[in-house]
Amino acid sequence: MVKAIAPMLRDFMQKESAGGIVLILAALAALVIANTPLYDGYKAWLDIPIIAGFGGFVIDKPLLLWVNDGLMAVFFFLIGLEVKREVMEGQLSSWNKASLPLVAAIGGMAIPAVIFLAINSGTPANQAGWAIPAATDIAFALGILALLGPRVPVALKALLLAIAVIDDIGAITIIALFYSGEINTGYLGMGAAVFVLMLIVGRLKVPSAIPYVLLAILMWAFVLKSGVHATLAGVAAALTVPLVAHKGERLLEHMEHALHPWVAFLVIPIFGFANAGVYLLGLNPADLLAPLPLGIALGLLIGKQVGILGFAWIAVKSGMASLPDRVNWRQIHGLSLFAAIGFTMSLFIGNLAFASPEQVDAVKLGVLSGSTIAAFAGFFLLRSALPDTVEDKEEDSDDTRVAAPA
């Protein structure tokens, strides 16, 4: 029995989209618990204090913040590795490859923010959340996309991934510029010194992952204490890893592939479980129509469609970019709805934007409602837009990371 199950489990874990399915299950579990008598235990678990340090250097945070500031730094480290690889030799390595996803992603970040600010223009306390609907959750999106099977063109998957990577770059920039706290220049200087040391290690093309990991942990601790959001240390650390190390070993790709299952099947589901719990039983229509959740939901649902589809159309019609082979505008429209699944990154930015529990709950409500509607709408729209037979015969059609838009 075990021998029969093992190959199936291994095949499941090798699929990029499988992590999105696990994330969906984790989020559903949190929602169920939040609306049962288990909720008090769930909250108490998230509030457990955890203290780590040595000498006078101490980090004292509840479990929820260790998840959001610590585990998510691992997620951002993986994003940094993916971004560097895509820029150096992947889907963002040339203007011909990057033009369409770049323009579409810019529209997909700008228009949702504009819609959010317009709806919350009369509520200044909410305006710090303008970046929440600008985000895309690639794991969640690929998890839903996987349900459509092999009929989905490889180029369309690649386009979604490229848009999400650019979206991540935008989110990282936004967090660095707008969501860092009061800066402790001493700790920031120590973090910068570790970063310089990592650059030297990278320039020497040290082939082992161990020094990069150890130095990244040290830099994360210093950056956390500095007031700059600690997840940015993960991105900075990843950028120091060489694409090709000493003796020709592809170190960056090796680290990315080794880390991906841990992020997809542990880090992101834990984050989803810790942050998706919101009480729904007492909701009424007025709660959904309040400016904060409404701005997020419509920013995701309307903003992503208008931004991605509209900007992509302008780019193609102006000659700036071209559609990938076997991809049509109805499929791009469906893709824009999948990009409106904000979940992980939207919840993450919401936790940075607001300290009030009431506002955080409103953020969860807006993200969950907008992302859920987008997932269902995108699924049915794209299913109707796909061919009845599989047109793409390329190998590794499930691995969007190796396919580039035509």
Side-chain angles (χ1 to χ4, degrees), residues 316-342:
V316 171
K317 295 303 179 182
S318 67
M320 186 184 303
S322 59
L323 280 181
D325 288 343
R326 299 186 182 132
V327 172
N328 58 45
W329 286 113
R330 287 184 66 205
Q331 292 169 358
I332 297 290
H333 188 189
L335 178 147
S336 71
L337 280 163
F338 279 106
I341 303 172

Side-chain angles (χ1 to χ4, degrees), residues 31-228:
L31 282 172
V32 170
I33 289 173
N35 292 276
T36 67
L38 296 174
Y39 181 67
D40 289 339
Y42 170 79
K43 286 292 292 180
W45 174 70
L46 294 176
D47 290 336
I48 293 174
I50 298 178
I51 303 173
F54 55 91
F57 187 90
V58 176
I59 300 174
D60 183 358
K61 290 179 176 289
L63 177 60
L64 177 61
L65 292 184
W66 277 98
V67 170
N68 292 349
D69 293 344
L71 279 183
M72 286 299 284
V74 180
F75 168 69
F76 276 83
F77 182 77
L78 178 61
I79 285 178
L81 293 174
E82 292 177 340
V83 167
K84 183 171 182 177
R85 178 179 51 76
E86 293 293 343
V87 169
M88 294 188 70
E89 62 176 20
Q91 298 169 52
L92 306 179
S93 59
S94 69
W95 176 251
N96 184 51
K97 294 178 179 180
S99 54
L100 182 61
L102 177 61
V103 174
I106 290 173
M109 289 184 283
I111 303 302
V114 169
I115 290 176
F116 177 89
L117 288 173
I119 292 174
N120 286 272
S121 59
T123 316
N126 292 345
Q127 291 179 9
W130 62 272
I132 296 171
T136 293
D137 188 321
I138 186 59
F140 216 134
L142 286 175
I144 302 296
L145 192 64
L147 300 178
L148 292 167
R151 291 189 302 146
V152 180
V154 173
L156 189 66
K157 295 180 183 179
L159 180 60
L160 176 59
L161 178 63
I163 290 173
V165 168
I166 297 168
D167 189 285
D168 286 337
I169 296 172
I172 290 163
T173 305
I174 288 168
I175 292 168
L177 295 177
F178 300 102
Y179 294 110
S180 292
E182 185 177 343
I183 306 301
N184 182 311
T185 54
Y187 280 123
L188 186 60
M190 287 188 279
V194 177
F195 177 67
V196 171
L197 181 58
M198 291 192 71
L199 285 174
I200 294 172
V201 173
R203 290 287 291 178
L204 294 174
K205 297 188 176 182
V206 175
S208 172
I210 294 174
Y212 300 98
V213 172
L214 293 178
L215 289 171
I217 294 171
L218 183 61
M219 182 166 64
W220 170 83
F222 287 144
V223 172
L224 177 67
K225 297 290 282 187
S226 76
V228 175

Side-chain angles (χ1 to χ4, degrees), residues 252-339:
L252 186 147
E253 189 173 328
H254 172 74
M255 292 178 67
E256 182 184 340
H257 289 171
L259 191 59
H260 184 269
W262 292 97
V263 171
F265 298 105
L266 185 67
V267 173
I268 295 302
I270 288 176
F271 175 85
F273 181 75
N275 288 275
V278 58
Y279 185 69
L280 300 175
L281 297 180
L283 287 179
N284 58 63
D287 295 320
L288 292 168
L289 297 176
L292 182 52
L294 184 65
I296 294 170
L298 293 185
L300 289 169
L301 275 172
I302 306 301
K304 289 291 186 180
Q305 291 183 76
V306 173
I308 291 176
L309 183 61
F311 277 53
W313 186 86
I314 292 171
V316 171
K317 295 303 179 182
S318 67
M320 186 184 303
S322 59
L323 280 181
D325 288 343
R326 299 186 182 132
V327 172
N328 58 45
W329 286 113
R330 287 184 66 205
Q331 292 169 358
I332 297 290
H333 188 189
L335 178 147
S336 71
L337 280 163
F338 279 106

